[in-house]
Amino acid sequence: MVKMADSSSPSSPVTITVTTSVPAQSIGLTSPIRRFSVSNNPNSPISNRGGPKGSSGGNRRNSSGGGRYLSMSKDEIDECVAYTVHIPPTPDRRVVSDSQSSMNSLPSGHPLGSYIKDTIYTGGFNAVTRAHVIESSLDESTKAVKSELLCGMKGCDEKAQDGNWKSQCECGFKICRDCYLECVGIGGGYCPGCKEPYKDASDDESTEHGSEEKDQPHPLPRGMGGVKLEKNFSLVQSFKAPNHEFDHARWLFETKGTYGYGNAVWPKDGYEIGRGNNDRCENPPDFKERRNRPLTRKVGVSTAIISPYRLLIFIRLAALACFLTWRVSHPNHEAMWLWIMSVVCEFWFALSWILDQLPKLCPVNRVTDLSVLKERFEPSALNLRNPKGLSDLPGVDVFVSTADPEKEPPLVTANTILSILAVDYPVEKLACYLSDDGGSLVTFEALAEAASFARIWVPFCRKHKIEPRNPEAYFGLKRDPLKNKVRLDFVRERRRVKREYDEFKVRINALPEAIRRRSDAYNAQAELRAKKKQMDMGDSTFDSAKVPRATWMSDSSHWPGTWSSAEEGHSKGDHEGIIQIMLVPPNADPVFGTEADGVSLIDTTDVDTRLPMLVYVSREKRPGFDHNKKAGAMNALVRTSAIMSNGSFILNLDCDHYIYNSLAMREGMCFMLDRGGDKICYVQFPQRFEGIDPNDRYANHNTVFFDVSMRALDGLQGPMYVGTGCIFRRIALYGFSPPRATEHHGWLGRRKIKFSLRRRKAAKNGENDDEMILPINEDQNEEDEFTKALIPQRFGNSTSLIDSIAVAEFGGRPLHELRGKGSHGRPSGSLAVQREPLDASALAEAISVITCFYEDKTEWGKRVGWIYGSVTEDVVTGYRMHNRGWRSIYCVTKPDAFRGTAPINLTDRLNQVLRWATGSVEIFFSRNNALFATPRMKFLQRVAYFNVGMYPFTSIFLLTYCFLPAFSLFSGKFIVQSLSVTFLTFLLAITLTLSMLALLEIKWSGITLHDWWRNEQFWLIGGTSAHLAAVFQGLLKVIAGVDISFTLTSKSAAPEDGDDEFAELYEFRFTILMIPPITIILVNMTAIAVGVFRTLYSPFPQWSKLVGGVFFSFWVLSHLYPFAKGLMGRRGKIPTVVFLWSTLICIIISLLAVYIYPPSGRQDAGLMFQFP
């Protein structure tokens, strides 16, 4: 329920009333800061629905209704917005007693941190946004109120000055008048809280406010035409200054100024670092001493390898052309049908090879320099650009997605979260979001357990530099844990942490059973109460009262998400949106721990114990809405994170892919922040897998794709997005075009036209009306492209979300000294600020943007965010970015950046490949086909994307070609009339060039010959099974509109001690996808037997045709050997279903073959034939 307040505190624009189930007893709170991005969403719980026409809410509705960007003035800011959040009573938080009723009117500025941290926010379609407190925080809040009323100086118990005091520091540090005068007189005029000098340091407190001389900033550069502050986009609207008299970061951002000698913030008496006199110097420092070394380098493949490799490609291309010409000009008149099928298949295979090989002409390698990154963005010495020594790196939001706790074990997800929380990146710049698309209480409580264990695990990793920082992977390493460890307390602390982790695993694995027992107990009590109430009302019927079988939380309240027994409003497709902050945003200053004692297991006196922000998010789902699977969940996280943390970059991970290299984010930032990095939309890391059988039977490592194809694409316009292990630039996900682009015209795109999209206006008369230009602060035209792009029709009607776009764009810019020609940069130190604290209004707005109806009539999923319409939304999303002119980077690190799991079972592997191939077919029949790409995409990049949509159709020709050897042996004919020298020469040349190309690929990519051969084998296995089914599914969707079901890939949990690590490899689960490969194996084996007996008993044996047919049959069978081995299971035990299918297929094929081609050489009437 939402209402406007009649009056408000002068120090805060937002008033929050937190009520229990008794309306008369409430606790009034005020937000700690002013939030300028108040929602104008009419569906938002903080919008004004019943206010007067003159209120700010009414003005906002009028503004948004016109579809224009909102700029709020000071008059609007000073108005008060209030809303009420309903909190049901819980055992941990009882109804406020009469003795506590004095807390109903707390002073303004009361902190909301404890309420934000321990509160679940829910809401959605036709539902009231509610805040459910799960822990008691009254005692802590009372202490906080008391401390806020007193002076913050140690040993002083005097009353602090109020917030309207004119000499109040911008940081908000509470201080009494006597201590203030002492700091001004003795302490050099520095604030004890932020160590910054007081603006108006004066001993005379009686001076009138109007007589104060305010700081005057330097005038803006001429030619700007007068800057209107309320119309411009700024980095932040001062995280600390409540009065907003002058914001240095805003001034720098809008004037492109820098901190330097003569600027407004330079000390008048010279350069000063500290308080001591020894730190002063008369001349400003020389900022040109900073070395502009590059953060990254591109290393090409050796000429001795790449030149022969390219030469062999053209030699094999010429050999294929000659071979196909000869095949067409020499038909086999004895078996024209066999000749026609073989020639058609060979032409298609040649086209498929060309499409696959051409993008591999320009492979590259890249290396980063992390020392330069640290020197540039995390300087060890204090300076005026960064007086507190804070990190200047941009913020990163990490997205982890999960959907089903049964197929994706909570322990695997919890370990992934722990590896993220312990990553080597500034804690205050990191935020982790878990998207639970199933709304499961098991996942929620597992995340809570992970947040608790992180307080032990993360300091342990930082102290001893643990790698990897996934506890399951670390404790499962088979190497010496003492290697490279020098601290004497390592062994003792490792033993303690290992014991805690074992208990943590037990709690996580017991969660499903514990929740079930808890829910059964509470449901039984609810049934007893309902039955007693029924008897008290005099109902003597024997029918028991119907009580919903709810899922209960540990605090005796209903879980707002999915229940184990689905009920209305509590099923996987029907539940409210949920947001819970598990770990609140940390402070900017390091917080060191204590010595080891009964509470703290490890000594953390010299270790920063802060933890990144951790948020649980479950978007709202309702019947009748298309939720768009994983892509919809990712877009919900994009909007939520924009309001809560707004990191300029986004790292996307699957729940089973953890951070193996703690420096992986820094490696990715090297590319994003280097010169020209503003053109990079994402940095893709290779996928590496654990738990794969040593022989890699089904090519699960997929090294040929990740180490050959992706490296080659990196030399063009960049690798494809593969769904996980990718760092995005946030504004690229928003659908904006890059600051500069290149169009490729002419034959094969050889004529290039470069231009800047920041200065280029969108074409008029309907031409290129989808162009979204990046924000330009110098452009004062209210009708510019960026203003048009920010209307609700694109991003929805949340002004908080729209306001965050310019901030995210600024944070992702390179530094001024690293910006390229025609690009915009940011001053050094501009991001060394503390993050804006969260309040209830931000969380209420975050709830509103994850509702099921928010995306209606917007461009989310069409142009903005992850793209909808395909089960392989990852490839389509990357294609759209490349199509707008962005480029991507492939980052290969040592050790691996991320590691995950892959299905080693044959059935799961085929289902996974089926989903990928089905998505490719959808791409081929959609507007995302590379044939319709814009000129901004390079020609070879377009060829690579076209091949993505084409490769499943190769299965039709591959299936036909696998049967041709059998047809040849059955009929006694061959694809050529005779095995001539010319045919054998062409065949030898094509085979040798393919083998030499494979060897050179192995040389420059670093893969092994075993990896290459496994990839070839599974290419045929997948091509004759999953790819073929994908083609039929895609055609059914295009022609008949039959929707394609999504099968979630099961994630394997870590094996227990004593269990077989690869037991899943030998499990056999029959699927219809296995029928074509089984048929091919049986047909070819039968054909070899028939051909051999026919030739032996023939009066005129034709050994050449027999050898040709048997050779190609063995070629097919050798590729299908891993499939046949998978059918046999453990110790060669073949399942009964395989015997049944084999017998049936063999009988049918044998009868047909002998009937059509009798061994006697003549065909009698009916079924009359005789053996020789």
Side-chain angles (χ1 to χ4, degrees):
M1 47 187 176
V2 184
K3 64 180 182 179
M4 294 296 297
D6 297 331
S7 61
S8 62
S9 171
S11 63
S12 176
V14 179
T15 301
I16 305 167
T17 303
V18 183
T19 64
T20 64
S21 59
V22 181
Q25 298 170 340
S26 62
I27 302 176
L29 306 175
T30 56
S31 63
I33 63 165
R34 296 177 181 266
R35 297 193 65 87
F36 293 87
S37 301
V38 181
S39 174
N40 69 338
N41 182 359
N43 300 316
S44 171
I46 64 172
S47 61
N48 176 21
R49 302 186 184 186
K53 293 182 180 181
S55 64
S56 61
N59 294 336
R60 284 190 296 273
R61 284 197 302 271
N62 295 337
S63 176
S64 62
R68 301 179 63 83
Y69 177 77
L70 170 66
S71 297
M72 303 181 65
S73 64
K74 286 188 175 181
D75 294 335
E76 293 173 328
I77 294 175
D78 291 335
E79 292 182 1
C80 174
V81 179
Y83 55 90
T84 299
V85 184
H86 175 72
I87 299 180
T90 65
D92 295 333
R93 179 177 174 81
R94 301 295 182 182
V95 178
V96 183
S97 62
D98 296 337
S99 61
Q100 295 171 328
S101 60
S102 60
M103 294 186 62
N104 289 352
S105 57
L106 297 180
S108 63
H110 182 76
L112 286 172
S114 58
Y115 289 96
I116 296 301
K117 173 186 175 183
D118 303 323
T119 306
I120 300 178
Y121 284 79
T122 62
F125 183 66
N126 290 335
V128 177
T129 298
R130 300 179 183 272
H132 170 63
V133 178
I134 59 177
E135 291 186 12
S136 177
S137 55
L138 287 177
D139 297 337
E140 298 176 1
S141 62
T142 305
K143 296 178 182 179
V145 172
K146 181 179 178 181
S147 62
E148 292 261 347
L149 297 177
L150 301 180
C151 176
M153 297 293 289
K154 292 184 179 181
C156 180
D157 294 332
E158 296 294 332
K159 184 178 179 181
Q161 297 289 339
D162 57 11
N164 296 327
W165 187 37
K166 57 184 177 59
S167 297
Q168 178 76 32
C169 181
E170 294 179 349
C171 69
F173 182 79
K174 297 295 183 180
I175 189 171
C176 65
R177 184 177 183 277
D178 294 336
C179 293
Y180 167 75
L181 295 177
E182 183 179 356
C183 291
V184 172
I186 303 176
Y190 287 87
C191 173
C194 63
K195 313 303 180 186
E196 295 281 348
Y198 282 108
K199 275 190 174 182
D200 302 318
S202 176
D203 294 342
D204 186 10
E205 280 294 307
S206 62
T207 306
E208 295 183 1
H209 181 73
S211 62
E212 293 277 351
E213 181 179 358
K214 299 182 179 180
D215 294 334
Q216 296 295 332
H218 280 198
L220 298 177
R222 296 182 179 180
M224 298 275 305
V227 179
K228 299 180 180 179
L229 295 181
E230 66 275 10
K231 295 274 186 182
N232 276 333
F233 300 101
S234 62
L235 171 63
V236 285
Q237 294 209 22
S238 182
F239 294 108
K240 299 188 295 183
N243 296 325
H244 299 281
E245 295 179 355
F246 179 72
D247 190 346
H248 300 299
R250 182 189 182 101
W251 183 86
L252 290 171
F253 178 67
E254 294 174 349
T255 62
K256 295 192 298 183
T258 58
Y259 284 104
Y261 190 78
N263 279 343
V265 296
W266 194 267
K268 299 179 180 179
D269 298 331
Y271 179 59
E272 182 175 13
I273 298 179
R275 300 184 183 181
N277 296 329
N278 296 331
D279 296 331
R280 299 176 63 88
C281 61
E282 297 300 331
N283 298 321
D286 185 8
F287 292 119
K288 295 183 179 179
E289 291 180 358
R290 181 183 297 272
R291 289 171 290 180
N292 291 329
R293 290 183 297 169
L295 295 172
T296 62
R297 289 186 297 112
K298 183 168 67 174
V299 181
V301 180
S302 174
T303 307
I305 298 176
I306 195 63
S307 296
Y309 180 76
R310 293 170 178 169
L311 180 61
L312 278 173
I313 291 177
F314 291 104
I315 291 176
R316 191 168 193 269
L317 186 61
L320 282 175
C322 296
F323 172 72
L324 294 175
T325 303
W326 182 88
R327 289 280 284 128
V328 171
S329 60
H330 292 78
N332 184 2
H333 297 285
E334 296 180 358
M336 289 295 295
W337 60 274
L338 199 63
W339 174 80
I340 292 174
M341 286 194 301
S342 62
V343 169
V344 171
C345 291
E346 288 161 2
F347 267 97
W348 183 269
F349 294 151
L351 175 63
S352 177
W353 178 82
I354 293 173
L355 294 177
D356 180 69
Q357 199 67 43
L358 283 182
K360 298 179 182 179
L361 289 172
C362 307
V364 296
N365 298 313
R366 299 182 187 274
V367 294
T368 59
D369 194 339
L370 295 179
S371 62
V372 178
L373 181 75
K374 185 174 182 62
E375 174 190 352
R376 189 167 294 154
F377 294 94
E378 295 176 323
S380 57
L382 301 180
N383 53 62
L384 283 183
R385 296 186 179 185
N386 190 0
K388 290 188 176 182
L390 301 179
S391 174
D392 197 27
L393 288 171
V396 178
D397 295 336
V398 185
F399 294 171
V400 181
S401 59
T402 183
D404 190 347
E406 295 181 0
K407 292 188 176 182
E408 298 170 332
L411 183 60
V412 175
T413 305
N415 276 279
T416 300
I417 296 297
L418 290 170
S419 69
I420 296 171
L421 298 180
V423 73
D424 188 356
Y425 200 79
V427 182
E428 67 276 9
K429 300 299 182 68
L430 189 64
C432 179
Y433 296 83
L434 175 66
S435 171
D436 180 16
D437 225 25
S440 172
L441 181 59
V442 176
T443 305
F444 177 85
E445 295 196 358
L447 187 64
E449 290 285 353
S452 177
F453 179 70
R455 303 185 185 278
I456 304 173
W457 173 251
V458 174
F460 173 71
C461 293
R462 292 173 181 167
K463 180 178 180 180
H464 299 289
K465 296 180 173 57
I466 300 299
E467 295 288 346
R469 299 190 175 182
N470 176 325
E472 183 67 34
Y474 171 70
F475 291 120
L477 291 177
K478 298 180 180 180
R479 66 178 186 223
D480 183 12
L482 300 179
K483 186 178 181 180
N484 299 328
K485 297 296 182 291
V486 297
R487 287 183 176 266
L488 298 178
D489 56 353
F490 170 71
V491 175
R492 180 179 67 256
E493 293 183 350
R494 183 182 186 275
R495 189 183 301 115
R496 292 177 178 177
V497 175
K498 177 65 166 61
R499 183 172 61 251
E500 287 294 324
Y501 177 67
D502 291 339
E503 296 177 0
F504 168 76
K505 288 175 61 177
V506 171
R507 293 194 299 270
I508 293 291
N509 293 329
L511 278 177
E513 182 64 18
I515 293 174
R516 185 189 64 80
R517 290 184 177 182
R518 180 204 308 156
S519 300
D520 290 343
Y522 281 120
N523 288 329
Q525 294 179 6
E527 291 177 359
L528 290 176
R529 288 194 298 268
K531 188 175 181 180
K532 182 180 179 181
K533 182 178 180 181
Q534 185 179 12
M535 294 177 62
D536 294 341
M537 295 176 62
D539 190 353
S540 59
T541 60
F542 294 97
D543 297 336
S544 59
K546 293 184 179 180
V547 177
R549 304 291 297 177
T551 298
W552 294 75
M553 302 173 65
S554 58
D555 62 346
S556 307
S557 61
H558 285 178
W559 168 241
T562 301
W563 291 353
S564 55
S565 58
E567 299 283 347
E568 183 179 359
H570 295 281
S571 61
K572 287 187 177 181
D574 183 13
H575 62 79
E576 292 182 342
I578 307 171
I579 293 180
Q580 165 67 44
I581 300 182
M582 297 292 183
L583 296 173
V584 296
N587 295 324
D589 298 326
V591 177
F592 297 100
T594 59
E595 296 181 355
D597 52 20
V599 179
S600 179
L601 296 179
I602 61 176
D603 184 6
T604 57
T605 53
D606 57 347
V607 180
D608 187 3
T609 59
R610 293 176 301 162
L611 297 177
M613 183 171 71
L614 178 61
V615 184
Y616 172 90
V617 179
S618 181
R619 58 178 173 147
E620 183 194 17
K621 287 189 173 182
R622 298 298 181 191
F625 289 89
D626 187 3
H627 302 107
N628 298 297
K629 305 180 179 67
K630 180 182 177 181
M634 290 294 99
N635 285 339
L637 286 185
V638 171
R639 297 190 294 270
T640 303
S641 62
I643 295 173
M644 299 181 67
S645 56
N646 198 27
S648 298
F649 299 96
I650 295 173
L651 171 60
N652 163 230
L653 291 175
D654 286 343
C655 66
D656 61 327
H657 275 70
Y658 68 92
I659 298 179
Y660 186 77
N661 183 354
S662 62
L663 298 174
M665 288 189 187
R666 293 179 178 268
E667 299 255 11
M669 288 298 104
C670 287
F671 295 102
M672 292 292 192
L673 303 177
D674 203 2
R675 187 181 301 274
D678 55 348
K679 289 181 59 178
I680 298 174
C681 56
Y682 60 82
V683 176
Q684 177 66 60
F685 295 85
Q687 292 186 20
R688 307 300 187 196
F689 302 101
E690 295 177 335
I692 307 297
D693 58 297
N695 290 324
D696 194 13
R697 180 184 294 178
Y698 306 123
N700 292 99
H701 284 300
N702 211 2
T703 52
V704 173
F705 174 75
F706 287 112
D707 290 333
V708 178
S709 300
M710 297 287 274
R711 286 178 189 264
L713 289 176
D714 197 17
L716 302 177
Q717 201 170 338
M720 304 175 186
Y721 168 46
V722 295
T724 184
C726 184
I727 298 179
F728 283 97
R729 186 179 299 273
R730 184 180 284 269
I731 58 169
L733 275 175
Y734 285 156
F736 289 102
S737 300
R740 301 172 307 282
T742 303
E743 290 187 353
H744 305 270
H745 299 274
W747 179 249
L748 302 181
R750 299 181 63 182
R751 185 165 59 89
K752 300 179 181 180
I753 301 177
K754 297 183 179 181
F755 53 89
S756 173
L757 287 174
R758 290 186 184 271
R759 300 174 181 175
R760 179 179 179 180
K761 302 296 183 181
K764 298 181 179 180
N765 300 326
E767 181 184 355
N768 200 16
D769 55 351
D770 290 335
E771 191 75 71
M772 291 174 63
I773 308 300
L774 286 170
I776 307 174
N777 293 288
E778 295 82 5
D779 191 357
Q780 299 299 313
N781 185 7
E782 296 183 359
E783 301 296 331
D784 61 8
E785 291 81 5
F786 183 61
T787 303
K788 294 179 181 179
L790 296 183
I791 58 177
Q793 282 73 9
R794 288 191 185 270
F795 295 96
N797 48 8
S798 171
T799 54
S800 298
L801 173 62
I802 295 177
D803 291 346
S804 68
I805 296 177
V807 180
E809 188 274 335
F810 180 83
R813 292 182 181 182
L815 297 180
H816 274 310
E817 56 266 28
L818 295 177
R819 69 184 189 274
K821 182 180 180 181
S823 63
H824 293 263
R826 64 176 177 86
S828 177
S830 57
L831 298 184
V833 292
Q834 186 173 354
R835 178 183 295 167
E836 182 181 3
L838 290 173
D839 59 7
S841 63
L843 291 176
E845 184 72 7
I847 282 288
S848 70
V849 299
I850 63 172
T851 55
C852 55
F853 58 86
Y854 182 84
E855 296 181 353
D856 291 349
K857 298 180 181 180
T858 67
E859 293 197 4
W860 285 98
K862 302 174 184 177
R863 179 189 178 92
V864 181
W866 270 260
I867 306 301
Y868 302 154
S870 174
V871 294
T872 53
E873 72 287 333
D874 45 5
V875 177
V876 177
T877 302
Y879 166 79
R880 290 289 188 90
M881 295 181 184
H882 286 143
N883 203 30
R884 288 193 286 268
W886 291 95
R887 72 150 297 134
S888 58
I889 294 294
Y890 196 56
C891 181
V892 182
T893 64
K894 292 184 180 180
D896 301 332
F898 310 99
R899 284 192 178 180
T901 60
I904 61 175
N905 181 265
L906 178 60
T907 304
D908 293 337
R909 175 68 166 146
L910 291 178
N911 287 328
Q912 183 186 55
V913 175
L914 172 62
R915 187 175 72 251
W916 294 345
T918 303
S920 296
V921 176
E922 291 176 338
I923 292 173
F924 181 81
F925 289 110
S926 68
R927 60 188 295 263
N928 297 312
N929 192 317
L931 292 176
F932 310 113
T934 65
R936 297 181 189 176
M937 184 177 291
K938 292 184 178 181
F939 172 75
L940 292 181
Q941 188 82 13
R942 189 180 304 189
V943 171
Y945 273 113
F946 181 74
N947 188 42
V948 169
M950 281 287 294
Y951 81 88
F953 296 95
T954 305
S955 60
I956 301 174
F957 304 92
L958 185 60
L959 184 69
T960 304
Y961 212 75
C962 288
F963 281 110
L964 287 183
F967 294 159
S968 176
L969 292 172
F970 281 134
S971 64
K973 311 297 181 181
F974 196 53
I975 57 176
V976 293
Q977 193 162 1
S978 63
L979 294 178
S980 61
V981 176
T982 306
F983 174 77
L984 295 176
T985 302
F986 282 131
L987 191 63
L988 180 63
I990 293 173
T991 306
L992 285 179
T993 51
L994 178 63
S995 302
M996 295 174 67
L997 282 173
L999 292 176
L1000 290 176
E1001 283 184 358
I1002 291 172
K1003 187 69 176 177
W1004 62 256
S1005 64
I1007 65 174
T1008 64
L1009 183 61
H1010 179 268
D1011 295 332
W1012 181 86
W1013 174 238
R1014 286 302 190 199
N1015 181 78
E1016 291 295 312
Q1017 287 180 316
F1018 199 79
W1019 170 75
L1020 194 142
I1021 294 172
T1024 56
S1025 57
H1027 295 177
L1028 187 66
V1031 172
F1032 285 108
Q1033 283 190 359
L1035 292 176
L1036 284 175
K1037 181 178 180 180
V1038 173
I1039 298 174
V1042 178
D1043 194 13
I1044 300 173
S1045 60
F1046 178 81
T1047 304
L1048 186 65
T1049 305
S1050 299
K1051 275 68 174 183
S1052 58
E1056 299 293 336
D1057 295 338
D1059 295 344
D1060 187 358
E1061 184 179 1
F1062 308 115
E1064 187 182 353
L1065 178 67
Y1066 306 104
E1067 294 181 4
F1068 179 82
R1069 297 190 295 269
F1070 182 77
T1071 175
I1072 196 173
L1073 299 176
M1074 297 179 178
I1075 295 179
I1078 292 176
T1079 306
I1080 293 174
I1081 293 174
L1082 296 177
V1083 168
N1084 279 275
M1085 292 178 64
T1086 306
I1088 291 175
V1090 171
V1092 170
F1093 279 101
R1094 180 192 298 276
T1095 304
L1096 290 176
Y1097 290 97
S1098 175
F1100 304 102
Q1102 297 181 353
W1103 294 102
S1104 61
K1105 295 182 179 179
L1106 174 66
V1107 171
V1110 170
F1111 172 79
F1112 282 105
S1113 291
F1114 273 116
W1115 178 84
V1116 173
L1117 294 175
S1118 63
H1119 281 73
L1120 291 174
Y1121 171 73
F1123 178 84
K1125 195 172 181 180
L1127 294 179
M1128 297 180 183
R1130 190 187 295 271
R1131 301 182 184 89
K1133 184 179 179 181
I1134 302 177
T1136 306
V1137 66
V1138 177
F1139 278 114
L1140 295 176
W1141 276 101
S1142 303
T1143 304
L1144 178 62
I1145 294 174
C1146 282
I1147 292 174
I1148 295 175
I1149 292 174
S1150 299
L1151 290 177
L1152 288 175
V1154 177
Y1155 174 74
I1156 298 174
Y1157 296 101
S1160 61
R1162 60 187 181 85
Q1163 183 172 348
D1164 298 329
L1167 294 177
M1168 298 299 296
F1169 58 86
Q1170 63 182 26
F1171 290 97

